Amino acid sequence: MESAPGIKAVSLADKKIILGVSGGIAAYKAAELCRLLIKAGADVRVVMTAAAQQFVTPLTFQALSGKPVLTSLWDAASGDGMEHIHLSRDADLLLVAPASADFLAKLAHGRADDLLSTLCLARACTLAVAPAMNREMWAAAPTRRNLEQLQLDGVSVLGPAAGEQACGETGLGRMLEPGEILAALPGVLNAGPLAGKRVLITAGPTFEPIDPVRGLTNLSSGKMGYAVARAAAEAGAEVCLVSGPTCLDTPAGVRRIGVQSAADMRRAVLAELPSDVFIAVAAVADYRVNAAAPQKIKKSTDGMTLHLVANPDILAEVAALPDAPFCVGFAAETERLAEHAEAKRRKKRLPLLVGNLAQDTLGEDTAELVLFDDRGQHRLPRADKLTQARHLIRHLVNQLN
Ligand code: C5P
């Protein structure tokens, strides 16, 4: 099983998982997911809808799971005919992957006209869905409404991802890759080293308005903050990501609150407290325009002066609270990294600060990091940001313990 380096891999060995497969071309990826779940030690029972069987045969899943695949509510061989009750009573997780637009609609309305939808309604276990559909179907108003309802009903929604689709179009709607779904399961099952912990994360740039069409921002892509959110969710935390404007997908199992300015970000962060951990990855603008113009400023041949005032330091404010969470800061420097980073850590009184050289990291997919804590410096040689985020979470877990 893919796991954070050094983080105790959350075993799926004792987990009973029902893998529901609904009708979509991504059903072929569910075969790989089934294999990965088995490899991770899970006890997997596959349930297929009639439409799913048009894409992949039950025999494929039977061969992979080593058990007969369940396809009908009306199977005379299933004893008392209460399979939909027994199965879900026994399971730790009901995972529907792929979950088609039609299946999500059924779930949102509590329909129960086949074995899989009946199981979902009769379940006494966690339900997670990995949607897969064409981008227009994903964006359609009814799907949006259904998704909102499912989230209100406590269903974990994993993905979807953006990319090329089977129909030839490109956009949001692809099912997450099987490995990504697997990595999100400890979070869904609330079983990692951060299980039961609330982790609040800021990410991305802020946008400080000058007038209704212009503003001050910076080059932060949000990639590091989103990777940290994903790694924290994988470790089982309940993750809230307060994000400035980015074009990144929200990681599986993470609740995202979109904000624009530093003031918005501060408000959202304070509203999400208390939290066990606060990780401030955002590149918050240090200054904002004193009074943004209510109407578009007209061009003139004269120069222009903007009066800037300092923004509140969100991290310093949270770290100074009497019941402060465990606070982690980031420092992007262009020179004398150790000196500046350690000075910031002491000034903001942080147990842990992550330093990096801004010119090496901004917008990149990889980063070289140095962790600063009371015991000294810990260098993380260059690696992709998700790997670095997992290292950071491992370090944080050790410090918390
Ligand atoms: O900008 P600076 O280098 O001081 O940022 C260090 C840390 O403080 C980062 O973790 C950043 O997210 C946080 N910060 C903040 N609010 C600010 C400025 C920085 O939370 N206004």
Side-chain angles (χ1 to χ4, degrees), residues 202 262 278 280-286 311-316 328-333 344 348 353:
T202 63
F278 177 50
V281 195
V284 184
D286 291 321
N311 266 330
D313 190 314
I314 305 167
L315 177 58
V328 183
F330 269 70
E333 303 295 338
K344 261 177 205 176
K348 301 194 191 192
L353 183 130

